[in-house]
Amino acid sequence: MSPRAVSPPADNTLRSHGRAVLVLGLPLIGSHLAQVALQVTDTLMLGWFSVEALAAAVLGAMLFFTLFVMGAGIAWAVMPMVAHANAAGETAELRRITRMGLWQSVLFSGAVMPVMWWSGPLLVAAGQEPQIAALTQEYLRIMGWGMAPALLVMVLKSYLAALERAQMVLWVTVVAALLNILLNWVLIFGNLGVPALGLRGAAIGSVIVQLFSIGLLVAYAGLLPELRAHALFLRLWRPDWPGFWRLFRLAWPISLTNLAESGLFAASAILMGWLGTHELAAHGIAIEITSIVFMVHLGLSNAATVRAGSAMGRGDGTALRRGALMAVALSVCFALLTMVVYLGFPAQMTGLFLTPEDPARDQVIAIGVGLLAVAAVFQLADGAQVVALGLLRGMQDTRVPMIMAAISYWLIGIPASWLLGIRLGYGGMGVWAGLVVGLVLAGSLLMLRFWSRARRV
């Protein structure tokens, strides 16, 4: 039996399920907020360094994040499988899946390194300014070395979250975020006798932070007495091909779903780059702000995945449906709250990312205010689609959701962004309005998919 099996709620009331989602979800939300703080800190501090460095960091972060979330599909497949195995008391299966998640993360990192190494010509071919593309490639050639440790961190975080040990996930991420601020202050601006490295300094700091994080999580998972029975790192070099392919079958649709969603925002960055450097900088700032809010929905989604996986492991259909209802309700309430903030304080939030002396400050803020107004509209849809995906992953249903996401984002969302923003001339707000179209469709289809399946459990 697993040393700490995921327990059902004390009763099957909605209140009990809401409490269970929050107990697991709040530390995960905190860890996701701390994680996005790494990127927000880079964007904020590079915005103080120069607008050119900010624009290059926006493009580089978009490309890195697109590849990262694709690889994170491995970790997100580990989460429901470990939760299911833990609820069923299958310790050997839990260990095999986590190990093969570590294997697949390293293999994926090696496969995508060439894309980052030669990203400059790809960005120029995509219509970006050559100077910004060259800066972005320099940034990504350093950031690429952080891909493997970042994905290994994700696998161990998923393993711990599935065991409902999210508090450790939270504290490791918070410490990493604080370390990133210190390293950026030293490396970007050249303090404590270190030369000012600008964009390269931000990338070097990020790699150091990822190495530090994986070291902490390996020590915790390997040394904690309650987890030592899992023996995660004992003979880690030995392959387990049946476990490898079981995880792969669940992971690859999640990876492609993540690619479709992150690709939607990466493509929007490309379209904004066509409009100009100021539009791209405003887009990057608005994305950072909305990313902070999205982490709350993502934390609730992860909690929903664990609770759904646990309910499926116990064969408890009532717990599955009631836990899902509370996760959705919490997401909707938070989305309504953030709509008020986006519409009430857009200029103040955008201005935080720019120095008062920046000659482009007023123009970038004006563009950012419009983008946040559109972002207020898609909060409900964005929360709905990510929570629905989390619930479906808990049921280990990933292939049909992948198709739904690909259609919504790429056949509908991207063309709508191009049509409204570029072809019809509505600029940045038109590009973001296309995002709304894709997210609304995805949220609707995925919610219908989950509830139609949940009723049959």
Side-chain angles (χ1 to χ4, degrees):
M1 181 67 102
S2 171
R4 182 169 174 165
V6 176
S7 58
D11 54 67
N12 248 342
T13 63
L14 290 175
R15 181 176 180 179
S16 177
H17 281 285
R19 187 185 306 112
V21 170
L22 284 174
V23 166
L24 178 59
L26 287 176
L28 291 174
I29 290 168
S31 72
H32 288 314
L33 289 172
Q35 182 69 40
V36 81
L38 297 172
Q39 185 175 328
V40 171
T41 300
D42 287 353
T43 303
L44 185 65
M45 298 179 84
L46 285 170
W48 295 340
F49 189 78
S50 75
V51 170
E52 290 74 19
L54 173 60
V58 168
L59 277 180
M62 279 293 177
L63 183 52
F64 182 89
F65 184 73
T66 298
L67 297 172
F68 171 76
V69 298
M70 187 177 177
I74 300 163
W76 290 351
V78 166
M79 188 180 294
M81 295 180 77
V82 168
H84 188 286
N86 194 41
E90 299 172 352
T91 302
E93 178 69 5
L94 179 158
R95 175 172 56 250
R96 296 170 73 185
I97 292 302
T98 306
R99 283 180 173 180
M100 291 303 99
L102 298 172
W103 268 54
Q104 291 182 25
S105 295
V106 172
L107 293 174
F108 177 86
S109 301
V112 300
M113 186 65 173
V115 177
M116 289 179 282
W117 196 262
W118 289 290
S119 56
L122 296 175
L123 292 170
V124 171
Q128 302 305 301
E129 297 177 9
Q131 179 185 0
I132 298 298
L135 286 173
T136 303
Q137 176 177 275
E138 184 179 4
Y139 174 77
L140 286 172
R141 284 188 170 183
I142 300 171
M143 284 290 291
W145 298 106
M147 180 66 76
L151 291 178
L152 293 175
V153 165
M154 284 293 294
V155 171
L156 291 182
K157 283 182 177 181
S158 293
Y159 159 77
L160 293 171
L163 300 178
E164 300 204 12
R165 292 185 174 273
Q167 289 81 4
M168 184 59 187
V169 173
L170 169 62
W171 289 118
V172 169
T173 315
V174 168
V175 172
L178 294 175
L179 177 61
N180 190 62
I181 294 172
L182 174 62
L183 290 173
N184 277 353
W185 177 74
V186 172
L187 298 173
I188 292 177
F189 300 105
N191 290 296
L192 301 181
V194 176
L197 299 176
L199 194 63
R200 288 181 297 144
I204 293 169
S206 295
V207 174
I208 294 172
V209 165
Q210 297 299 346
L211 292 170
F212 172 80
S213 299
I214 190 61
L216 284 183
L217 287 172
V218 167
Y220 180 79
L223 299 177
L224 190 73
E226 292 89 339
L227 299 179
R228 212 177 295 162
H230 293 166
L232 284 185
F233 309 112
L234 185 65
R235 293 185 293 274
L236 181 60
W237 60 87
R238 293 178 59 180
D240 176 5
W241 297 118
F244 184 98
W245 293 115
R246 275 200 308 280
L247 176 64
F248 182 79
R249 283 192 292 272
L250 186 66
W252 74 263
I254 298 177
S255 294
L256 293 183
T257 302
N258 291 348
L259 176 63
E261 182 180 0
S262 62
L264 174 69
F265 290 95
S268 69
I270 298 295
L271 294 176
M272 295 296 283
W274 292 355
L275 295 172
T277 300
H278 292 156
E279 286 81 0
L280 181 58
H283 172 83
I285 292 171
I287 284 290
E288 298 297 350
I289 294 171
T290 56
S291 294
I292 295 171
V293 173
F294 180 75
M295 292 304 110
V296 176
H297 300 293
L298 182 59
L300 292 172
S301 175
N302 293 155
T305 297
V306 174
R307 300 308 306 178
S310 177
M312 294 294 289
R314 299 191 310 268
D316 190 345
T318 301
L320 172 68
R321 291 184 289 273
R322 292 185 178 179
L325 183 61
M326 292 311 301
V328 172
L330 290 168
S331 177
V332 169
C333 289
F334 186 77
L336 294 174
L337 175 64
T338 55
M339 289 171 70
V340 175
V341 176
Y342 280 0
L343 294 174
F345 309 98
Q348 293 88 336
M349 289 189 292
T350 306
L352 290 173
F353 290 80
L354 299 162
T355 60
E357 299 80 18
D358 196 318
R361 176 184 172 87
D362 291 341
Q363 188 173 352
V364 172
I365 288 178
I367 299 169
V369 167
L371 299 184
L372 288 178
V374 180
V377 177
F378 71 58
Q379 285 305 297
L380 285 169
D382 206 14
Q385 61 89 22
V386 73
V387 171
L389 281 171
L391 290 165
L392 289 165
R393 288 165 186 168
M395 300 177 73
Q396 300 193 23
D397 176 18
T398 59
R399 296 193 183 189
V400 172
M402 173 193 67
I403 296 170
M404 290 178 171
I407 292 172
S408 301
Y409 302 144
W410 284 93
L411 296 185
I412 306 297
I414 297 289
S417 289
W418 174 82
L419 178 65
L420 295 171
I422 308 299
R423 187 74 176 87
L424 298 181
Y426 290 106
M429 291 186 68
V431 171
W432 276 52
L435 302 182
V436 174
V437 174
L439 290 169
V440 168
L441 180 59
S444 301
L445 291 175
L446 292 166
M447 275 294 175
L448 287 172
R449 169 79 177 173
F450 170 75
W451 288 110
S452 66
R453 295 204 69 200
R455 281 194 298 267
R456 300 195 294 269
V457 176

